[in-house]
Amino acid sequence: MRSLSSPESSFAPNAAEGERRPDLSAMMAAAFDGIVALDERGTMRSLNAEAAALFGYALQEVIGRDFGMLTPESDCSYRDHLRPGAPGIRRRVDGLRKDGSIFPMELSFNEIACDGERLFIGLIRDLSRRGRFEQGVHELQANRLDLIENMAAGLAHELKQPLTAIGAYLNFARRHLKEKNLSVEKVIEMLDQADAQVFRVSEIMDNLRQFIARGETAKSPQNLNAVVRTACEFTDALARQHDVKTTIDLAASPDMVVINKVQIQQVVVNLKRNAVEAMQNVKRREMRVSTRVVEGNLVRTDVADTGPGLPEEVKARLFAQFTTTKPHGLGVGLSISRSIIEAHSGKIWAEPNPGGGTVFSFVLPLADA
Ligand code: ADP
């Protein structure tokens, strides 16, 4: 049979003649979870790379073999699902990796018809990994009160601008209403403008609320490479989702720094997210995250992308608050990043990437400096 993982393959679950067939292989490739397609005997007919990696196998090692090889002998409860009409209930079962280790996973099978054959599509979620991810997110959201002070000053300034604009638009509308040759369109336009500024204010306030929800964490000695690697994990999914190829080269040695781990991770996450977003409309999407020791007992981290480079209009105010060229951007990511790095006696800057794109870099003092 053809492999469902081939790019040309497509599935037609219950598809009526002439209906557009969803491309299952594309869906499988794009999925963050593991997906496996079994036949009625439990033979793995196809699976995505995510699923194979979850169990520590290469795709070709598992295709055509029994799904039972991926579960401990004691647990073959998944077989209950491989019968016509079995409900696609999620259940927690044990998974068995190639190295013999066992991990908790969530499994659900749904039956579909494919080219006259009955197949069972199983969604596999690694619960141990989810636990780690949630912990990471929790840490990232933890304790950011020190930044609120920074934010508040800029915020007072920034709120003044839209509030002044709202006042001006309302004044203009009132004056216009008093005039004899009144243009209703003009008044509506002014009110729309005022409305847009109100929206802007609410966005700024929402953003502040997010910061207030976080707290403060102390600085401690950390291996920067490990901190950067964890931050990279947080954004792996985003990079993959946008087809960005990421290279990680954490060569700094020594790499001991005294930092607030959560905040430095936040900086790396901000830079990586910006890089991914910048490459949305280019063909070559490559990101390189690297660390190395540089002169002055400093350790340097670079996040390089192959995007279009910095827009001319943001260059002068790149690290200032509320600088953004994104329709829904708030322009706080880089300013917060700068606050964090400077609070660690470091420096952050951006330069053009020689091969095209941008490199954001920051340096931090090494712990033994
Ligand atoms: P936001 O992401 O909300 O726009 P940031 O402070 O993170 O705010 O970024 C400010 C602006 O800097 C972005 O809107 C974008 O124009 C520009 N920028 C940031 N990173 C990059 C990058 N890697 N490549 C090109 N432009 C970037």
Side-chain angles (χ1 to χ4, degrees):
M1 97 150 211
R2 71 184 177 187
S3 162
L4 299 174
S5 59
S6 78
E8 308 75 32
S9 67
S10 64
F11 252 106
N14 308 322
E17 269 310 304
E19 259 179 36
R20 210 168 146 244
R21 291 171 161 220
D23 184 342
L24 186 82
S25 57
M27 285 194 281
M28 285 174 90
F32 295 142
D33 290 326
I35 302 183
V36 60
L38 307 186
D39 63 20
E40 285 165 284
R41 289 180 306 280
T43 306
M44 289 183 269
R45 301 291 280 268
S46 178
L47 71 169
N48 64 354
E50 203 74 36
L54 214 62
F55 296 94
Y57 286 99
L59 276 174
Q60 61 275 17
E61 287 180 288
V62 283
I63 288 184
R65 297 185 61 189
D66 193 281
F67 183 73
M69 72 181 279
L70 303 180
T71 61
E73 263 174 54
S74 54
D75 195 349
C76 53
S77 53
Y78 73 90
R79 288 202 175 276
D80 298 346
H81 293 275
L82 309 186
R83 54 184 166 77
I89 302 168
R90 288 187 199 177
R91 60 163 68 193
R92 200 191 140 110
V93 295
D94 282 341
L96 176 65
R97 294 197 186 95
K98 187 179 179 180
D99 65 9
S101 58
I102 291 176
F103 67 99
M105 60 182 185
E106 193 178 70
L107 189 61
S108 67
F109 279 104
N110 277 289
E111 181 191 348
I112 68 164
C114 175
D115 293 345
E117 192 182 15
R118 198 186 340 262
L119 288 177
F120 295 88
I121 302 297
L123 293 181
I124 308 162
R125 185 165 288 178
D126 178 351
L127 294 180
S128 63
R129 198 166 69 173
R130 187 158 71 165
R132 276 210 308 280
F133 178 76
E134 278 167 4
Q135 186 191 344
V137 169
H138 181 73
E139 275 191 36
L140 267 181
Q141 286 173 342
N143 285 331
R144 303 279 304 283
L145 278 171
D146 50 339
L147 285 174
I148 294 170
E149 270 180 31
N150 270 346
M151 288 285 295
L155 207 66
H157 173 74
E158 293 299 328
L159 284 180
K160 201 153 174 55
Q161 180 268 323
L163 289 174
T164 308
I166 292 166
Y169 288 129
L170 292 180
N171 252 328
F172 187 95
R174 186 194 300 113
R175 265 191 288 128
H176 203 79
L177 282 170
K178 284 183 182 161
E179 278 173 24
K180 286 209 180 91
N181 53 349
L182 170 80
S183 153
V184 175
E185 283 77 11
K186 198 85 197 150
V187 175
I188 291 174
E189 191 195 318
M190 290 301 115
L191 293 178
D192 282 347
Q193 295 278 13
D195 200 23
Q197 293 295 325
V198 170
F199 183 68
R200 172 91 182 137
V201 170
S202 86
E203 276 190 321
I204 292 170
M205 296 315 291
D206 278 352
N207 194 57
L208 182 65
R209 240 197 339 254
Q210 278 176 26
F211 279 94
I212 291 170
R214 301 166 190 179
E216 199 174 74
T217 49
K219 288 180 187 167
S220 60
Q222 300 281 341
N223 287 103
L224 184 69
N225 291 339
V227 172
V228 172
R229 189 174 297 114
T230 310
C232 285
E233 279 176 21
F234 294 156
T235 43
D236 265 349
L238 181 78
R240 256 180 302 151
Q241 193 184 353
H242 290 271
D243 255 333
V244 171
K245 189 175 153 237
T246 311
T247 314
I248 297 175
D249 178 15
L250 306 177
S253 174
D255 69 334
M256 189 59 78
V257 283
V258 179
I259 54 167
N260 179 313
K261 185 179 80 175
V262 177
Q263 292 183 343
I264 298 300
Q265 280 169 349
Q266 181 72 55
V267 173
V268 178
V269 167
N270 282 344
L271 298 182
K272 282 194 68 185
R273 195 190 295 130
N274 274 347
V276 169
E277 287 174 0
M279 289 187 282
Q280 255 170 19
N281 298 320
V282 297
K283 242 181 152 182
R284 190 171 149 230
R285 297 179 190 175
E286 289 165 26
M287 171 157 54
R288 187 166 184 275
V289 182
S290 57
T291 63
R292 65 192 150 109
V293 171
V294 291
E295 235 182 272
N297 261 333
L298 298 170
V299 58
R300 171 174 169 161
T301 305
D302 289 332
V303 177
D305 65 59
T306 54
L310 293 173
E312 208 50 50
E313 66 268 29
V314 306
K315 279 185 181 163
R317 282 180 46 85
L318 189 59
F319 292 94
Q321 279 173 347
F322 313 120
T323 296
T324 185
T325 52
K326 300 169 192 168
H328 301 292
L330 275 185
V332 294
L334 288 179
S335 82
I336 288 168
S337 300
R338 185 175 63 176
S339 305
I340 292 173
I341 296 299
E342 288 180 353
H344 284 82
S345 312
K347 253 177 102 175
I348 184 167
W349 70 97
E351 294 170 321
N353 193 354
T358 312
V359 187
F360 275 86
S361 311
F362 63 86
V363 286
L364 294 169
L366 276 165
D368 58 352

